[in-house]
Amino acid sequence: MNKKTYLIIGGTGGIGKAMVEQLIQMTHKIQTGIAVFATYHNSVPEIEADNLYWLKMDICDEHSIKQSIEAIKTHSNHIDWVINCVGMLHTEHNKPEKALRQMQTEFFLQNMQVNALASMLIAKHIKPLLKNAERSTDNPAIFATISARVGSISDNELGGWYSYRMSKAALNMGMKNLSIEWSRSLKDVCVVVMQPGTVNTQLSAPFQANVREGHLFSPAYSAEALLEVLADMSSDQTGSFVDWAGESIPW
């Protein structure tokens, strides 16, 4: 991880914030050239470091995405790793649907925009910075997105959660498409879809009662595990759908 430049999308959420903190701590422990860019939506976070740059980004607005990425270019001509940690499962007024009769157009489209479209737009605009990264088969640039096991079609045995499941399945397909396109036009970039486990965050808070003992992870634990998995990836593994332990998940 020495001298890499990272972009954490959603640096104020549970997993994203933990990743930012761990990358900063890594810099303090050893002399590295790590630079960390992280995005926020509303208020500038209190976390500060000499090599941490906060960017305001609304992932539902392509112009905002483009502006944030342009801002990176004032500090760096490349990005080595991009990790999108933003996702939605519920809102103040809507919970995941248990039955078809509960589906609402606005909530469904919001899921699709946040969970699926945003990653594609980020990839669209970040490509030139990834292209400038020094990379090889064993040390690829990374474009990773947090997904969910419930986005797996073949693993679906419970049903329900229509909008969330469908948006994550769409994300998975988009990332698979991207991995194929970039394997032709952007060599040695590993596109990865990741399942972080059930993490103790606002996203999972209303649904933690049914989580088995020992299977609710802290954001710090999940973030560390995901970073370790990504550090071992090669460009040959582009198009992978893996969990926090690096185990493959069926599409």
Side-chain angles (χ1 to χ4, degrees), residues 15 18 41 60 64 67 78 82 85 90-91 128 139 186 188 191 246 251:
I15 296 174
H41 187 201
C60 294
S64 176
Q67 277 191 319
H78 75 282
V82 181
C85 300
H90 56 88
T91 67
N139 185 33
L186 194 61
D188 294 327
V191 178
W251 296 103

Side-chain angles (χ1 to χ4, degrees), residues 97-129:
E97 310 93 343
K98 293 182 179 180
L100 181 62
R101 66 179 180 275
Q102 296 174 326
M103 286 197 73
Q104 298 179 11
T105 299
E106 184 177 350
F107 182 61
F108 173 78
L109 293 176
Q110 190 176 4
N111 269 267
M112 293 297 290
Q113 186 164 36
V114 173
N115 292 333
L117 179 59
S119 288
M120 305 311 300
L121 295 178
I122 292 164
K124 173 183 174 181
H125 292 288
I126 202 68
K127 182 179 178 181
L129 287 173

Side-chain angles (χ1 to χ4, degrees), residues 119-120 122-128 130 142-143 176-191 238:
S119 288
M120 305 311 300
I122 292 164
K124 173 183 174 181
H125 292 288
I126 202 68
K127 182 179 178 181
L130 285 171
I142 297 287
F143 189 89
K176 188 68 173 182
N177 258 18
L178 182 66
S179 71
I180 295 169
E181 177 179 341
W182 280 3
S183 68
R184 300 173 182 141
S185 65
L186 194 61
K187 298 293 185 182
D188 294 327
V189 175
C190 189
V191 178
T238 191

Side-chain angles (χ1 to χ4, degrees), residues 88-95 107 110:
M88 69 164 284
L89 174 57
H90 56 88
T91 67
E92 182 180 353
H93 304 290
N94 294 92
K95 293 182 179 180
F107 182 61
Q110 190 176 4

Side-chain angles (χ1 to χ4, degrees), residues 25-172:
Q25 288 172 3
M26 190 185 309
T27 305
H28 291 316
K29 290 179 180 178
I30 55 177
Q31 294 298 317
T32 68
I34 291 175
V36 181
F37 295 88
T39 73
Y40 67 93
H41 187 201
N42 294 315
S43 302
V44 181
E46 295 181 355
I47 303 173
E48 295 181 354
D50 291 340
N51 61 332
L52 173 62
Y53 306 91
W54 286 107
L55 307 166
K56 184 176 176 61
M57 179 187 288
D58 179 355
I59 63 164
C60 294
D61 180 348
E62 184 173 1
H63 180 67
S64 176
I65 292 172
K66 183 178 180 180
Q67 277 191 319
S68 298
I69 292 172
E70 287 297 319
I72 294 174
K73 296 178 183 179
T74 65
H75 300 281
S76 176
N77 68 348
H78 75 282
I79 288 289
D80 297 289
W81 284 24
V82 181
I83 307 175
N84 182 13
C85 300
V86 179
M88 69 164 284
L89 174 57
H90 56 88
T91 67
E92 182 180 353
H93 304 290
N94 294 92
K95 293 182 179 180
E97 310 93 343
K98 293 182 179 180
L100 181 62
R101 66 179 180 275
Q102 296 174 326
M103 286 197 73
Q104 298 179 11
T105 299
E106 184 177 350
F107 182 61
F108 173 78
L109 293 176
Q110 190 176 4
N111 269 267
M112 293 297 290
Q113 186 164 36
V114 173
N115 292 333
L117 179 59
S119 288
M120 305 311 300
L121 295 178
I122 292 164
K124 173 183 174 181
H125 292 288
I126 202 68
K127 182 179 178 181
L129 287 173
L130 285 171
K131 186 177 181 180
N132 289 338
E134 293 187 10
R135 56 196 193 276
S136 64
T137 300
D138 295 329
N139 185 33
I142 297 287
F143 189 89
T145 305
I146 302 297
S147 186
R149 190 177 295 272
V150 297
S152 168
I153 294 174
S154 58
D155 191 56
N156 183 2
E157 298 180 356
L158 297 176
W161 289 24
Y162 281 89
S163 294
Y164 188 68
R165 285 185 184 273
M166 292 172 71
S167 64
K168 289 298 189 179
L171 168 66
N172 293 352

